[in-house]
Amino acid sequence: MEISNIPSFLDYYSKIRQRTERVIASIPTDHYNWTYHKGKFTFADQIRHIAAIERYLYAETVLGRPAAYTGCGKELADGPEQVLAFFRERHQESLAIFSSLSDEDLQQKIQTPGGGQITCWKWLRALVEHEIHHRAHLYTYLSILGVPTPPIFGLTSEQVQEQSARISNT
């Protein structure tokens, strides 16, 4: 998928973020610091990571500045309410930066933290892929805990199977 203009990217990204927000809302507040294994990201770490990478890596680099990501630890925000506030505030800051880009900016090369060059629209696509990757972790963590999660596109796979069975039986 090529991103050819800023408004369409922002619209698409808002839909991605809505799905991420829905799964985050499923996390029991008393499990924000839970992890499946010592030394691995907690739910809170995952949420802070999505926010910090978006703002301090992707948003900085599209402006031509070096990445400023320094991690996703509790020093950024601790406790469910503070973590969610951090998540939402960094997103608003990032959206302001992305909104300031022109459609022509999307075709410019930017410097990645690894020293490579990438077209801006491809970098923004990687941002979306990164968020989806970590949202999948949240779904997995919740599954391990047996916590029900919202379907990504409105129906669960079981509901799609039921509908398909009804349709094929008519």
Side-chain angles (χ1 to χ4, degrees):
M1 172 190 132
E2 181 175 347
I3 300 166
S4 59
N5 65 68
I6 295 299
S8 67
F9 167 72
L10 294 172
D11 180 60
Y12 173 67
Y13 191 36
S14 75
K15 292 172 182 151
I16 297 299
R17 181 50 60 103
Q18 288 169 16
R19 292 182 194 121
T20 302
E21 287 267 2
R22 282 195 297 272
V23 74
I24 288 172
S26 300
I27 302 168
T29 55
D30 62 337
H31 280 75
Y32 261 61
N33 290 315
W34 179 88
T35 183
Y36 67 94
H37 191 272
K38 184 178 168 84
K40 298 295 183 181
F41 277 2
T42 64
F43 281 111
D45 292 333
Q46 293 278 359
I47 296 166
R48 287 187 296 257
H49 178 71
I50 293 168
I53 283 286
E54 173 191 37
R55 175 60 189 86
Y56 300 121
L57 185 134
Y58 287 96
E60 287 298 307
T61 55
V62 300
L63 291 174
R65 300 192 293 233
Y69 177 78
T70 59
C72 58
K74 288 183 178 185
E75 68 280 358
L76 297 174
D78 194 16
E81 291 170 7
Q82 293 81 9
V83 169
L84 288 175
F86 177 80
F87 179 74
R88 292 176 179 142
E89 289 164 8
R90 296 304 78 76
H91 183 59
Q92 289 307 310
E93 292 171 5
S94 299
L95 289 179
I97 291 168
F98 300 146
S99 296
S100 75
L101 299 173
S102 70
D103 294 346
E104 293 76 30
D105 290 334
L106 292 173
Q107 302 306 321
Q108 300 303 311
K109 294 286 186 184
I110 61 166
Q111 180 91 22
T112 68
Q117 295 279 313
I118 189 170
T119 306
C120 183
W121 72 263
K122 291 179 181 177
W123 190 238
L124 291 175
R125 183 180 62 191
L127 162 68
V128 173
E129 292 171 0
H130 179 263
E131 180 162 327
I132 293 167
H133 163 78
H134 284 284
R135 184 174 68 213
H137 290 165
L138 297 174
Y139 272 101
T140 301
Y141 283 23
L142 289 166
S143 178
I144 291 168
L145 293 173
V147 175
T149 56
I152 295 175
F153 299 110
L155 296 174
T156 65
S157 62
E158 294 82 8
Q159 290 168 326
V160 172
Q161 287 174 334
E162 288 172 16
Q163 282 188 355
S164 296
R166 278 197 305 273
I167 291 169
S168 66
N169 290 331
T170 59

